[in-house]
Amino acid sequence: METGSNSDSLDKAETSNGRGNKLGSMLPKIEPFVPKRDQNHNPRELRSWAKRTGFVSHLSGETGTASSTERFDSSTGFHVGKSSRDQRAGGSSPKIEIDPVLGRTRPNMGVEIEMDSGSGSGSRQGRKTVADGNGLGEKVEERKVGLNGNGVENGNGKGNGVASVTPLVVEEKDEEGKGGRDVEIGMYPEGEEQGHEGGNGHHPGLKVGLRDNPGFGALIYYGLQHFLSLAGSLIFIPSVMVPAMGGTDKDTATVISTMLLVSGISTILHSYFGTRLPLVQGSSFIYLAPALVIINARDYRNLAEHKFRHIMRELQGAIIVGSIFQSILGFSGLMSLLLRLINPVVVAPTVAAVGLAFFSYGFPQAGSCIEVSVPLLLLVLICTLYLRGISIFGHRLFRIYAVPLSVTITWIYAFFLTAGGAYDYKGCSPEIPSSNILVDECRKHAFTMKHCRTDASNAWRTAAWVRIPYPLQWGVPIFHFRTSLIMIIVSLVASVDSVGTYHSASLLVSSKPPTPGVVSRGIALEGFCSLLAGIWGSGTGSTTLTENTHTINKTKMASRRALVFGALFLILFSVVGKVGAILASIPLSLAAAILCFMWALVVAVGLSTLQYTQTASFRNITIVGVSLFLGLSIPAYFQQYQPESILMLPSYFVPYAAASDGPVHTINEQLDFSINALLSMSMVVTFLVAFVLDNTVPGSREERGVYIWSCAEDVATDPSLQLDYSLPGKFSSLCCCSSCLRA
């Protein structure tokens, strides 16, 4: 190998190839690379030399994996091949191979590859026989670890590497519509690989990408579209909670307005200072089950005066303690350590158990008015399944707006039933006063009128036109050890749910997965937003809505600017008291019917997380099955120890009343209440069983579907990754813990 002048050799090579003028002006003048050990070039030494001489790492943001079309240089340990961009385009771009030692062009080399078939679909080992131009060959061992759902192969056990070599690619490609050519030089450090597409944050499958700005009008439309598609999750939780707490229709309207305000503020904060993914923050069903457990505690059953306010203050105190724990979990970096133990096999059954926990409430409440609830269920299923492919003016309205469209149509239908006298009974007041219960003829019709009539609610008449929800509007929060311990555990389950949502959403927007530091930042901010929910008194904590990933997949809209605009409208609607009043006047049977669909969707979205694992694995099937079964069966065991509750509570609330009468008895009544409450909730038991089994039962990373998170180096080297996840403006440099947030 010649060791002449580097620049002279390079100039000659460029001239002989007809590219001397352009390539010579772009490539820096570099000194020869002299290895420290004979002919064995250390990739780390070469990487350091590349940085000094201008061959800095350049990540284009596209997925690149080793293939049989790549060339491997046996003398330097480099492979030079087509980029994934060219492979997808079906064409090949002219290549210029630069000798990394002398900085000059080299002749192409032949490749002979012998690949041994692997033992599984997820992993394979291959042995490559590489022959250079002189006919000399050597054996190179290479191990590739299989796919993790997102199509990225991992080679270093973390999913970030493709091989133990540092590729140097000098690629000359034609631009569309231009006669000129650009030269792209990519130096990839050891253990790194090109990530997802998204140089400008726009994935080919999306209409609007993460960082796209489609215009003011489009931002408003797409923002409202996002929140309308999630209307069931945002507004129907108070319809379940407030009546159980003894609240009036006016209280229901106020809680709905408070939830809209907190959801709008939380979404804006998360879009700027959280993970920065297009995710809606709001009151989650995860907090509904523990809220019902606290509501149905024995201490509150006979409470008559100010029952609603007292229970709400109790919930506020518990949510505040749980949110502080969640914030500490994120800001301290403990969440980054916990991420190593949270995988799809844990997330899938846990999220599914959240929806399954309400099977005893769903149709028993919807069945109180069959003529309204059943048509609503059928209509929402027809829209989402049978009419999803129909496009009206270029928009698939039935697929995107299935829930609000079905609720509106059925609500109008129920209004005509009410106006037509279907629920008028002689001598009975349609406003459902307490006197109806005292009259024998009206007692049997009071339940039907309350659940079916559209004018049974007086929220519209009592709500103010303008009312701004304010902190501590229900009074000073009450702090008890028993309820605080419950919310601490529930906030941990909510964090697990959010981790799975972060990963799924990052794949949908075609950005690289966030780093563990970014995930910790998102969890910490969710804790802060739950703190706001506790102070304002929304009744539940705030977390990432799991259904949002389904919405992104349906609408193909992923602009975080659009979510900010939609959140601003949510804040505006929260100030108009009549908006909350209209939503509060939805008949309870109609709300329960749509919740049946929403809870079923949560179950489906949770189980869909298993796509990142080897779903046919007996290990995974057993863990998911056992955790889900025990997650339903163990709470049923605790719920049978409540003879008093069966006589005093409606049947659909009995499963949430085990905290006061459960089988656990210690010397501390507060601890008894907490343990009985936690073990009577399906999502907590499912999470504990799945967490222990997945982290103790042997299994490969591919079989378990271990989540792949980006490395800290990716943030510094990939501009697209910085735009996706870094804090906006100069806030990142001013943040005292910016280094840990990018770790």
Side-chain angles (χ1 to χ4, degrees):
M1 181 179 294
E2 297 180 7
T3 59
S5 174
N6 205 30
S7 58
D8 293 341
S9 302
L10 184 59
D11 292 339
K12 292 178 181 180
E14 292 169 355
T15 305
S16 62
N17 286 281
R19 310 185 187 96
N21 294 335
K22 187 171 184 178
L23 186 60
S25 62
M26 297 184 63
L27 294 179
K29 303 299 183 179
I30 56 178
E31 296 297 328
F33 172 74
V34 181
K36 294 182 179 179
R37 295 184 293 275
D38 300 332
Q39 297 298 324
N40 297 323
H41 308 311
N42 188 347
R44 295 184 182 274
E45 297 176 5
L46 186 55
R47 175 187 176 188
S48 177
W49 165 81
K51 287 184 176 180
R52 293 196 307 270
T53 54
F55 287 88
V56 295
S57 177
H58 172 70
L59 298 179
S60 63
E62 300 197 341
T63 306
T65 55
S67 64
S68 59
T69 60
E70 295 177 323
R71 303 185 188 88
F72 192 93
D73 182 4
S74 60
S75 64
T76 63
F78 285 84
H79 64 271
V80 181
K82 290 194 297 183
S83 69
S84 58
R85 242 186 333 248
D86 297 329
Q87 294 176 8
R88 285 191 297 270
S92 60
S93 301
K95 306 285 184 182
I96 300 178
E97 299 187 39
I98 302 296
D99 191 317
V101 177
L102 300 179
R104 63 182 184 180
T105 56
R106 299 183 308 182
N108 293 336
M109 300 179 182
V111 181
E112 296 178 6
I113 301 178
E114 297 178 1
M115 182 67 71
D116 296 334
S117 59
S119 58
S121 61
S123 63
R124 62 180 184 272
Q125 286 187 346
R127 182 180 298 273
K128 292 185 178 181
T129 303
V130 184
D132 58 16
N134 299 324
L136 300 178
E138 58 176 313
K139 298 288 185 179
V140 179
E141 292 284 351
E142 179 179 355
R143 176 177 175 82
K144 294 184 180 179
V145 184
L147 302 179
N148 186 13
N150 55 0
V152 180
E153 296 189 8
N154 37 28
N156 59 354
K158 297 181 179 180
N160 296 325
V162 292
S164 59
V165 294
T166 307
L168 174 64
V169 179
V170 179
E171 178 179 327
E172 188 175 13
K173 57 183 180 181
D174 295 330
E175 294 184 356
E176 295 181 1
K178 297 181 180 181
R181 295 178 178 178
D182 292 337
V183 177
E184 178 182 349
I185 301 175
M187 175 68 68
Y188 299 94
E190 181 181 3
E192 295 181 356
E193 80 174 323
Q194 294 180 355
H196 302 292
E197 295 183 38
N200 62 347
H202 191 287
H203 182 262
L206 294 175
K207 295 180 180 178
V208 179
L210 179 63
R211 303 188 301 274
D212 287 350
N213 185 4
F216 183 76
L219 287 176
I220 296 177
Y221 169 73
Y222 295 146
L224 291 176
Q225 179 187 63
H226 248 287
F227 285 94
L228 281 175
S229 61
L230 295 170
S233 301
L234 292 172
I235 65 176
F236 286 123
I237 290 181
S239 301
V240 177
M241 290 180 52
V242 177
M245 298 165 66
T248 63
D249 296 328
K250 182 179 179 181
D251 294 330
T252 303
T254 303
V255 173
I256 290 178
S257 297
T258 304
M259 282 190 170
L260 295 179
L261 175 66
V262 173
S263 179
I265 295 175
S266 301
T267 301
I268 293 175
L269 291 176
H270 193 84
S271 298
Y272 283 105
F273 307 111
T275 61
R276 308 207 70 196
L277 289 168
L279 298 173
V280 174
Q281 306 293 305
S283 298
S284 173
F285 294 122
I286 294 178
Y287 288 94
L288 179 57
L292 291 176
V293 168
I294 296 174
I295 291 170
N296 291 282
R298 183 191 301 166
D299 299 344
Y300 306 130
R301 293 173 191 169
N302 298 323
L303 190 62
E305 188 176 0
H306 304 298
K307 179 180 179 179
F308 168 76
R309 286 182 174 270
H310 190 84
I311 296 178
M312 179 62 77
R313 291 164 59 197
E314 182 89 20
L315 289 174
Q316 285 182 260
I319 292 170
I320 289 174
V321 174
S323 64
I324 293 175
F325 169 80
Q326 192 175 18
S327 295
I328 295 175
L329 188 67
F331 283 125
S332 65
L334 293 176
M335 194 65 206
S336 298
L337 301 178
L338 189 61
L339 286 179
R340 303 176 184 177
L341 306 177
I342 299 176
N343 300 307
V345 179
V346 177
V347 174
T350 301
V351 177
V354 172
L356 293 174
F358 302 104
F359 74 92
S360 63
Y361 180 91
F363 201 79
Q365 275 287 68
S368 61
C369 191
I370 295 293
E371 60 270 26
V372 173
S373 59
V374 171
L376 175 58
L377 274 174
L378 293 177
L379 186 59
V380 72
L381 290 175
I382 290 173
C383 289
T384 54
L385 298 178
Y386 297 98
L387 302 180
R388 57 177 179 167
I390 298 179
S391 179
I392 300 179
F393 301 111
H395 301 281
R396 296 185 177 181
L397 301 180
F398 297 107
R399 184 178 184 181
I400 299 173
Y401 306 113
V403 170
L405 188 62
S406 301
V407 170
T408 302
I409 294 175
T410 311
W411 198 359
I412 295 174
Y413 160 69
F415 171 78
F416 282 114
L417 287 180
T418 302
Y423 307 111
D424 290 339
Y425 303 99
K426 185 177 180 180
C428 304
S429 173
E431 297 181 0
I432 321 298
S434 57
S435 59
N436 286 336
I437 303 177
L438 302 178
V439 181
D440 292 338
E441 291 296 328
C442 297
R443 186 182 301 117
K444 59 182 178 181
H445 302 305
F447 186 79
T448 301
M449 289 190 292
K450 180 180 179 181
H451 287 76
C452 299
R453 293 188 68 97
T454 56
D455 60 353
S457 173
N458 62 355
W460 174 262
R461 294 185 293 272
T462 58
W465 276 100
V466 177
R467 184 188 184 277
I468 301 177
Y470 55 91
L472 305 180
Q473 57 188 332
W474 311 114
V476 180
I478 300 175
F479 298 92
H480 284 148
F481 170 77
R482 61 179 188 177
T483 54
S484 298
L485 181 59
I486 293 174
M487 284 300 175
I488 286 175
I489 303 301
V490 171
S491 65
L492 179 61
V493 177
S495 301
V496 172
D497 176 32
S498 297
V499 167
T501 307
Y502 293 164
H503 192 272
S504 300
S506 67
L507 301 183
L508 288 175
V509 302
S510 194
S511 171
K512 285 185 178 179
T515 64
V518 173
V519 175
S520 298
R521 188 177 72 200
I523 296 300
L525 191 64
E526 284 191 16
F528 176 75
C529 294
S530 290
L531 178 63
L532 297 181
I535 294 175
W536 256 265
S538 63
T540 64
S542 178
T543 186
T544 301
L545 298 182
T546 306
E547 310 90 283
N548 195 203
T549 57
H550 178 65
T551 302
I552 296 174
N553 190 32
K554 288 193 304 180
T555 62
K556 306 301 180 184
M557 306 297 175
S559 173
R560 56 181 170 226
R561 288 188 180 92
L563 258 67
V564 171
F565 272 77
L568 291 175
F569 275 94
L570 221 61
I571 296 175
L572 177 62
F573 294 151
S574 68
V575 176
V576 182
K578 294 298 184 181
V579 173
I582 293 176
L583 298 175
S585 62
I586 297 177
L588 188 57
S589 60
L590 195 150
I594 202 63
L595 284 174
C596 288
F597 173 78
M598 298 304 302
W599 288 329
L601 188 62
V602 171
V603 176
V605 171
L607 293 179
S608 68
T609 310
L610 292 174
Q611 65 181 306
Y612 305 127
T613 70
Q614 292 182 357
T615 53
S617 167
F618 179 77
R619 172 193 181 275
N620 296 344
I621 292 175
T622 304
I623 292 176
V624 173
V626 169
S627 59
L628 273 178
F629 180 82
L630 293 182
L632 296 176
S633 187
I634 292 179
Y637 167 77
F638 278 78
Q639 293 162 11
Q640 68 182 352
Y641 288 90
Q642 40 187 329
E644 298 180 2
S645 304
I646 296 176
L647 300 176
M648 298 177 61
L649 295 176
S651 60
Y652 45 81
F653 281 143
V654 170
Y656 308 104
S660 300
D661 305 301
V664 176
H665 298 284
T666 64
I667 58 176
N668 191 324
E669 293 184 0
Q670 297 275 331
L671 186 61
D672 294 343
F673 184 92
S674 299
I675 296 177
N676 287 321
L678 291 171
L679 294 181
S680 66
M681 289 187 286
S682 299
M683 59 181 179
V684 175
V685 177
T686 302
F687 166 69
L688 293 176
V689 175
F691 182 83
V692 172
L693 291 180
D694 185 55
N695 289 283
T696 55
V697 177
S700 64
R701 294 174 59 87
E702 302 77 36
E703 185 179 19
R704 298 172 63 193
V706 175
Y707 281 137
I708 296 176
W709 306 105
S710 298
C711 299
E713 291 81 3
D714 294 342
V715 178
T717 57
D718 189 352
S720 65
L721 191 59
Q722 291 182 356
L723 293 174
D724 285 344
Y725 298 115
S726 294
L727 295 175
K730 298 181 179 180
F731 188 84
S732 180
S733 59
L734 297 177
C735 183
C736 59
C737 55
S738 60
S739 59
C740 71
L741 298 181
R742 297 182 299 178

